[in-house]
């Protein structure tokens, strides 16, 4: 949930990507708060469509692991299922972006997104004058298309984006995890993003949006459907006749899933139906499809959210308290001071590139933000947002898929004072 914007350029792009990720009641609350904000009528109005178009080429932070990163795209079609959103689509289509450990100097430079995908994302919110499709498409990444893989086998991580967000909104996280020695499959779910390129020159847009926002069980249906999508992706990646030519890289005994917003909630949906997924992460998403009453067994789960009155214990999103009570394996509930809903995606890096950080911020508090009595934290920079997200997600999977002890997950650290621990005190001794 957005609380701070540095200037009109930052605000424009933050809102552009953020609002579709929110359940409709919260998105409506955010719209109400913008109208009430002092900035809503001034020269720093986030909705000022006369703002100059971006000239700066954003750049994602370099991956931190020892490997170069390869990238491939894999269209998949589940002929056993009809698409849940478009009656005329007789099969369920998915677009999977794969990032994997690769040999340096091989492959060709990848791009962040197609111009057409970028155009749809920008047009969806009416921000044509705030950012060009070419600038967003040209965001610098660190992976290389069809690079030759490094020999060996690596844990597989499935990554799902927020509702209406494209899979490329989590590129920074996917590249970093691949550089650390994971195969990462980012799933674009057909008709659930502002625009995703599919074979045949098609860019599929968010037909699901009209059927989900404002409905009683739309988000639950979407999360449950993504659980089915993930099982199908696992079948096609790890089966005897894999759809990916480098499937030999995947260690099928060690599979995890992480997601942002609805994608994070979908990690539970997928784990509840598929025992192959051994560990899960929800980044700031309401559990629209609840954790089953009998839990997920001993499988570990990380809840990582913004430190506000939504996702602290007892917060407005009561699904987190319910989920916590039902998770019966290893678990952690972490919140990040200065974070907002977009902290766990690429958006903060892109907005920082468009408008450099300043000490002057505009507070745009919606009904999901801390009350006036709650001390306000300065917003995290894009670089810090990416660093914290990468660090804690990687630590979680390193511990539970690779069995490497992680002091980072045992309690607060002086290096990461923004990260707050909730729930029972850890019982394992610190790693040496």
């Amino acid at each position: 949930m957005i609380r701070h914007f540095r200037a009109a350029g930052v605000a424009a792009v933050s809102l552009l990507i953020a609002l579709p990720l929110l359940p409709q009641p919260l998105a409506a609350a955010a719209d109400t708060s913008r109208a009430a904000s002092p900035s809503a009528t001034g020269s720093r109005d986030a909705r000022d469509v006369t703002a100059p178009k971006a000239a700066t080429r954003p750049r994602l932070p370099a991956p931190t692991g020892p490997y170069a990163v390869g990238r491939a795209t894999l269209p998949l079609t589940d002929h056993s299922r009809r698409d849940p959103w478009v009656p005329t689509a007789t099969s369920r289509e998915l677009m999977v972006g794969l990032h994997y450990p690769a040999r340096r100097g091989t492959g060709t430079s990848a791009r962040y997104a197609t111009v057409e995908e970028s155009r749809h994302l920008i047009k969806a919110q009416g921000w044509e004058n705030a950012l060009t499709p070419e600038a967003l498409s040209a965001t610098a990444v660190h992976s290389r298309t069809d690079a030759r893989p490094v020999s060996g086998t690596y844990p597989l991580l499935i990554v799902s984006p927020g509702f209406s967000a494209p899979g490329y909104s989590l590129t920074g996280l996917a590249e970093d995890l691949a550089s650390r020695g994971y195969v990462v499959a980012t799933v674009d779910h057909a008709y659930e993003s502002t625009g995703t390129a599919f074979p045949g020159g098609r860019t599929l847009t968010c037909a699901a949006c009209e059927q989900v926002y404002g409905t009683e069980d739309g988000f639950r249906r979407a999360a449950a459907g993504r659980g089915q999508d993930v099982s199908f992706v696992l079948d096609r990646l790890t089966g005897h006749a894999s759809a990916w030519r480098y499937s030999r890289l995947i260690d099928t005994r060690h599979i995890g899933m992480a997601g942002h917003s609805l994608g994070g909630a979908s990690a539970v949906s997928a784990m509840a139906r598929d025992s192959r997924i051994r560990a899960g992460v929800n980044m700031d998403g309401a559990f629209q499809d609840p954790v089953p009453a009998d839990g997920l067994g001993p499988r570990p789960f990380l809840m990582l959210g913004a430190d506000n009155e939504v996702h602290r214990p007892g917060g407005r999103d009561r699904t987190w308290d319910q989920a916590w009570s039902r998770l019966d394996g290893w678990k952690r509930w972490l919140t990040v001071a200065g974070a907002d809903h977009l902290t766990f995606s690429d958006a903060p890096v892109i907005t920082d590139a468009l408008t450099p950080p300043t000490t002057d911020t505009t507070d745009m508090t919606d009904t999901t933000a801390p009350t006036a009595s709650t001390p306000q934290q300065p917003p995290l920079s894009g670089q810090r947002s990416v660093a914290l997200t990468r660090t804690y997600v990687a630590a979680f999977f390193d511990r539970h898929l690779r069995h490497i002890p992680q002091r980072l997950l045992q309690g607060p650290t002086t290096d990461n004072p923004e990260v707050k621990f909730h729930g029972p005190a850890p019982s394992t001794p610190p790693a040496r």
Side-chain angles (χ1 to χ4, degrees), residues 34-408:
R34 287 203 307 276
S37 168
S39 69
T41 56
S43 60
R44 297 176 60 177
D45 185 356
R47 295 167 293 174
D48 182 5
V49 295
T50 64
K53 290 186 177 182
T56 303
R57 181 191 186 197
R59 175 177 291 274
L60 297 183
T64 59
Y67 298 107
V69 179
R71 180 173 170 179
T73 56
L74 185 67
L76 297 176
T77 303
D78 184 355
H79 295 286
S80 70
R81 297 168 57 207
R82 297 183 68 89
D83 189 272
W85 312 114
V86 178
T88 56
T90 57
S91 300
R92 178 63 166 165
E93 291 186 90
L94 304 167
M95 180 60 72
V96 179
L98 290 152
H99 292 82
Y100 54 92
R103 298 185 183 183
R104 297 192 181 279
T106 63
T108 58
S109 296
R111 57 180 172 178
Y112 188 61
T114 69
V115 172
E116 189 64 15
E117 286 173 321
S118 303
R119 190 186 320 281
H120 278 281
L121 179 61
I122 292 169
K123 185 178 180 180
Q125 295 297 327
W127 293 110
E128 292 88 346
N129 290 328
L131 179 67
T132 67
E134 291 76 13
L136 182 59
S137 173
T139 297
V141 299
H142 302 274
S143 46
R144 297 180 68 83
T145 300
D146 295 328
R148 294 174 61 190
V150 175
S151 60
T153 59
Y154 307 92
L156 170 65
L157 301 179
I158 305 294
V159 176
S160 181
F163 184 68
S164 89
Y168 64 76
S169 65
L170 297 174
T171 298
L173 177 61
E175 287 188 332
D176 188 66
L177 290 167
S179 79
R180 295 172 184 250
Y182 290 91
V183 174
V184 185
T186 302
V187 182
D188 266 298
H189 310 266
Y191 301 109
E192 294 182 21
S193 79
T194 53
T196 299
F198 277 79
R202 297 170 300 148
T203 299
L204 303 186
T205 56
C206 194
C209 289
E210 296 178 1
Q211 303 173 55
V212 168
Y213 288 128
T215 62
E216 184 175 345
D217 68 342
F219 280 99
R220 184 199 60 76
R221 286 177 53 217
R226 288 191 178 194
Q228 294 177 278
D229 291 345
V230 169
S231 287
F232 176 72
V233 170
L234 291 180
D235 290 343
R236 298 297 288 122
L237 289 179
T238 65
H240 293 300
S242 173
W244 185 39
R245 62 174 173 165
Y246 295 141
S247 62
R248 66 182 182 274
L249 296 176
I250 297 173
D251 178 354
T252 59
R253 301 167 301 168
H254 298 97
I255 297 174
M257 180 173 174
H260 176 229
S261 196
L262 182 70
S266 301
V268 160
S269 304
M271 292 176 72
R273 64 174 286 113
D274 200 321
S275 62
R276 291 174 292 183
I277 305 171
R278 307 305 304 164
V281 179
N282 178 358
M283 297 181 289
D284 213 53
F287 290 91
Q288 306 286 354
D289 187 24
V291 176
D294 57 353
L296 298 173
R299 290 176 291 174
F301 203 89
L302 172 63
M303 295 160 49
L304 178 64
D307 186 54
N308 55 30
E309 292 186 359
V310 178
H311 284 148
R312 296 190 195 117
R316 292 175 182 153
D317 181 357
R318 302 313 299 268
T319 68
W320 276 46
D321 290 283
Q322 182 190 68
W324 182 257
S325 69
R326 293 180 175 183
L327 292 168
D328 41 16
W330 184 103
K331 58 186 177 182
R332 290 291 182 270
W333 182 335
L334 309 183
T335 57
V336 182
D340 59 36
H341 189 60
L342 294 182
T343 290
F344 311 98
S345 71
D346 296 339
V349 172
I350 294 172
T351 58
D352 276 5
L354 298 177
T355 305
T358 70
T359 56
D360 182 18
T361 63
T362 301
D363 184 14
M364 302 178 70
T365 306
D366 63 29
T367 59
T368 66
T371 62
S373 61
T374 304
Q376 298 293 308
Q377 296 284 344
L380 295 175
S381 68
Q383 292 286 331
R384 188 61 176 159
S385 296
V386 168
L388 289 171
T389 301
R390 288 174 165 182
T391 296
Y392 280 87
V393 172
F396 172 80
F397 286 122
D398 280 351
R399 187 192 193 284
H400 295 291
L401 297 184
R402 289 181 160 146
H403 311 295
I404 302 172
Q406 298 291 320
R407 169 67 185 89
L408 196 69

